[in-house]
Each structure stands twice: as C-alpha cells, then as structure tokens.
Amino acid sequence: MATAADYGLGPNTFPRGWFIVAESKELDQGPLAVRFFGQDLALYRGESGRPVLLDAYCAHMGTHLTDSNSAMIVKNGEQIEGDSIRCPYHGWRYNADGDVDDIPYHDGPCPKSASIRSYPVVDNMGCIMAWYDPEGRAPDYEPPFLPEWDDPQWVRWELDHLGELEIHPQEILDNMADVRHLGPTHGAPSEYFENEFKDHVYIQRQGGPMQLYNCYLYTTTWYTGPGLLLSKQVFGDTVIYELIANTPIEDGKVKCWHACLYQGSESPATGADREAAKHAQAGALEAFSADFNIWQNKRPALKIMQLKTDGPFKVGRRWYSQFFQQPEDAKATQRELNGILHTQGMDKPEDRGHDIDQGLPF
Ligand code: FES
Ligand SMILES: [Fe+2]
C-alpha cells in the first residue's frame, strides 16, 4: 500500500476538501458508523433533517456513539434528540457542534473538555458530503452542485457503491491527464484533448469515437477539489453527468462511489426516461469499471515513465499536491498552475467543435 509520502505528497497525510461520506438515503435507516481520514466517525441525521458528522468516541469512557446498536436507548429510538445524539453507554448528550450539553445524572455545566470534533457536512445531490481539514479549518470553497439536480427533466441518480480500493487516490486522479488510456481501456480514443487548472478545479476536455454506443463522445470532466469528479458527457441524443467520488479511508486506501444524472426526453422525465437513465448509468459504470479493475491489480506508479505524447501527469500531480499543503502554500501552487495545457499529438477542443461547456459551474 503506497502512502501519500511515497508519492511525495505532503506535509499532510490526507487531502483537505469536500468528500462523500455516505449516500443521503443511508441515513434514513438511523445513525451510521463510518471510517475516513484514518478516523472512526459517527454520522447521523438530526430531527431537523440536518446531517451531523462527529469523531466517533465519547470523551467520558470512549464509547462509539453510533456503533453500539443493542443499547436500550438505541433500541427504543431515543438516541437522537433534536440535532443532538446521546452516547449509548451513560447517555451524555452531544450537540451538532460536538459539545456535551446534557449529562443525565449531573447538575451544573457540562465539561468543555468533553467536546469532540464536528465536521462541516451538507446534504447535496443525494450525497452526504463532509469537509475535511486536518486542523479543523473552515471550508475554503463550496462543494459542487449541478442545477440540473433540481430540474424535473433530469432523472436523479442513486449511487453505485463501489466499496474499498487498496490504492492511493493519486492513481485515480492520474486519470484526468491520462489521454492515452481512453482507447485501450475504454474503447473511446481521444481525437482532441486538453486540461485546464483553475485554483481547486481541474478540468479535462476531450472527445472521440466511442465503441460502446458506436457514436462520437464529447466530455468535459472536472474535479472540484481532490475527491469529487463530475463529467458532462454528450453522445448521440444522450446527455449525462457522471459522478465519480473517492474518499480516503486510510493513507493508501479509498472508498469509491459512482452515479449518473440523466437528461430525460421531456419535462418532467417519463418512466421510459427513468429506464433509459438506469441503462446509461450501467453503461457508464461498465466503462468506469475498466479503470477500477486496473487500479485493483496494478502496482503503485510512484514515478511515471512519461513520454512526450502522454498527458500532463506531472502537472496533474502538482495540482493534487495542493490539498496536502497548508492553505497559503496551496494558493501559491494554484497561481503557478492556473492555465490550459495541451498534449502533444492531440487536436484542441475548438478544432473539433467541442461546445458542451455552457452552464458548467466553473
Ligand atoms: S462513555 Fe459515553 S456517556 Fe459514558
Ligand atoms: Fe478512465
């Protein structure tokens, strides 16, 4: 298992940014125990509907707040009060900020030292997204949102839960520069290709003939921070947004999700559109699974043997490294990288009539 340090990323072990930690509907079944960023975490939805993510262990005696399902307070459905949660062992109550605000057998103020860490979380496009910063600093950008999510012509996604991958997410991010895998791996070789860096956003524009549907494929793909990829894909009459998300569990191990938002034939989308959306998501998953399968079985590429006609892996890795830096240093990295890069031997998007970027949120 190769680590952030092995790739020369740092000084932090885990990247700062917005990440998926669950699908929204998973929280409807009750609190969840999850593990990300090398930490055990407690995730639940408060009575207001607000999702809450806390460090998992109660300060009193170290009980996991959401992984003790046979305690009577849990069985009775009495663990959540408002947006607070009671520890299943002795009932200390944690509010959404991670502070203890009630101890059932104690009068007077609750100890401030009992506070545990609370992470910024949002319910966004069917996903619970959390902001991670190793030092608990506030988010410095917004999580990505597609206005189409709220448009009734679009069929909303449900996530494919792809599980854990024993690979550093650096290898997943490498895909953004990797023009030369699109033919052999996906049967959709690029005819034109470019990358653009805009602060915390990393964009890829490309297109070419696609074997799967026997038509021309145009894509604009972008990472908003280190964990959330969205890709607008246009082929034939079909328009989709694909989501690919990676969230570090340990240093060198990630959890991944996949989904597609699908443009229906009319507004609101019809039953037939919903069926077509499922097929489109399955087709996109099949294509993505080819990457996933390679990542499952490859050795780490700590150094890439770069040819001139490969995509700009090195610059892509520099862009990714900003999330492992202190925010001031990340700003300097952004200033250094911002701009458009072309790959030798590839046409430019404008040469091939790439015009699918309207309305994209960057
Ligand atoms: S261990 Fe949590 S209240 Fe005692
Ligand atoms: Fe790929």
Side-chain angles (χ1 to χ4, degrees):
M1 191 160 85
T3 64
D6 294 332
Y7 289 91
L9 299 163
N12 297 331
T13 304
F14 295 106
R16 305 172 71 233
W18 286 101
F19 294 94
I20 292 183
V21 292
E23 186 166 12
S24 302
K25 67 178 184 185
E26 287 180 88
L27 283 194
D28 300 341
Q29 315 308 317
L32 278 181
V34 296
R35 183 174 173 85
F36 295 108
F37 321 116
Q39 307 276 344
D40 290 324
L41 302 166
L43 178 63
Y44 65 93
R45 194 188 291 289
E47 287 173 346
S48 72
R50 169 186 175 179
V52 181
L53 183 66
L54 302 175
D55 271 344
Y57 296 112
C58 177
H60 180 216
M61 285 173 62
T63 296
H64 196 303
L65 295 175
T66 55
D67 205 9
S68 310
N69 301 330
S70 47
M72 203 49 95
I73 187 174
V74 178
K75 284 188 182 169
N76 289 343
E78 292 166 346
Q79 198 187 9
I80 307 294
E81 290 180 12
D83 288 343
S84 302
I85 187 165
R86 285 202 186 268
C87 175
Y89 210 5
H90 313 96
W92 291 27
R93 189 175 69 190
Y94 283 88
N95 66 22
D97 295 326
D99 302 319
V100 173
D101 64 2
D102 185 68
I103 298 175
Y105 53 92
H106 169 76
D107 293 327
C110 299
K112 287 218 175 345
S113 58
S115 295
I116 55 176
R117 185 162 164 191
S118 168
Y119 298 77
V121 214
V122 293
D123 210 326
N124 182 24
M125 298 192 292
C127 307
I128 306 295
M129 296 184 183
W131 169 262
Y132 175 75
D133 177 294
E135 288 161 55
R137 285 166 294 220
D140 45 27
Y141 64 89
E142 296 288 312
F145 176 71
L146 298 168
E148 289 86 347
W149 180 259
D150 288 330
D151 181 339
Q153 186 174 352
W154 287 73
V155 181
R156 290 181 169 187
W157 59 47
E158 293 191 16
L159 300 186
D160 298 312
H161 294 249
L162 304 183
E164 298 178 0
L165 195 52
E166 295 265 351
I167 197 170
H168 193 280
Q170 174 62 80
E171 304 264 349
I172 299 176
L173 270 289
D174 283 337
N175 233 235
M176 287 293 282
D178 195 355
V179 56
R180 301 297 174 180
H181 89 293
L182 294 167
T185 305
H186 300 299
S190 292
E191 291 182 339
Y192 67 89
F193 188 87
E194 78 175 17
N195 291 114
E196 182 174 1
F197 300 91
K198 271 190 181 175
D199 299 333
H200 63 277
V201 178
Y202 179 5
I203 305 159
Q204 177 205 74
R205 298 182 183 89
Q206 73 85 38
M210 171 171 59
Q211 187 183 313
L212 181 63
Y213 297 117
N214 191 26
C215 59
Y216 206 89
L217 169 69
Y218 300 86
T219 72
T220 297
T221 303
W222 70 101
Y223 267 93
T224 308
L228 295 166
L229 172 150
L230 289 164
S231 179
K232 184 176 183 182
Q233 307 186 354
V234 179
F235 48 98
D237 295 332
T238 304
V239 185
I240 59 170
Y241 286 96
E242 185 175 25
L243 165 76
I244 295 174
N246 80 81
T247 308
I249 303 170
E250 311 290 348
D251 189 6
K253 184 174 172 183
V254 289
K255 197 163 188 179
C256 295
W257 295 264
H258 172 269
C260 286
L261 189 65
Y262 178 90
Q263 186 180 34
S265 56
E266 53 188 275
S267 185
T270 63
D273 290 332
R274 282 172 210 294
E275 276 311 300
K278 279 192 194 133
H279 285 289
Q281 180 157 327
L285 179 61
E286 188 184 327
F288 177 54
S289 297
D291 287 312
F292 206 80
N293 176 241
I294 284 175
W295 295 330
Q296 276 169 325
N297 298 306
K298 75 190 294 299
R299 68 150 171 78
L302 298 182
K303 287 219 162 50
I304 295 173
M305 195 174 151
Q306 167 104 31
L307 300 180
K308 279 193 178 129
T309 42
D310 269 323
F313 290 115
K314 217 172 170 178
V315 189
R317 287 190 169 194
R318 283 276 299 139
W319 176 86
Y320 184 55
S321 74
Q322 69 174 285
F323 303 105
F324 295 77
Q325 299 170 340
Q326 298 299 96
E328 330 60 270
D329 297 331
K331 284 273 171 249
T333 302
Q334 291 175 356
R335 281 194 296 274
E336 176 198 324
L337 299 183
N338 279 349
I340 291 181
L341 282 182
H342 291 110
T343 294
Q344 194 171 314
M346 282 288 130
D347 282 353
K348 295 180 182 171
E350 54 270 30
D351 300 334
R352 294 278 183 164
H354 179 100
D355 64 350
I356 66 166
D357 282 17
Q358 310 91 316
L360 297 185
F362 49 75

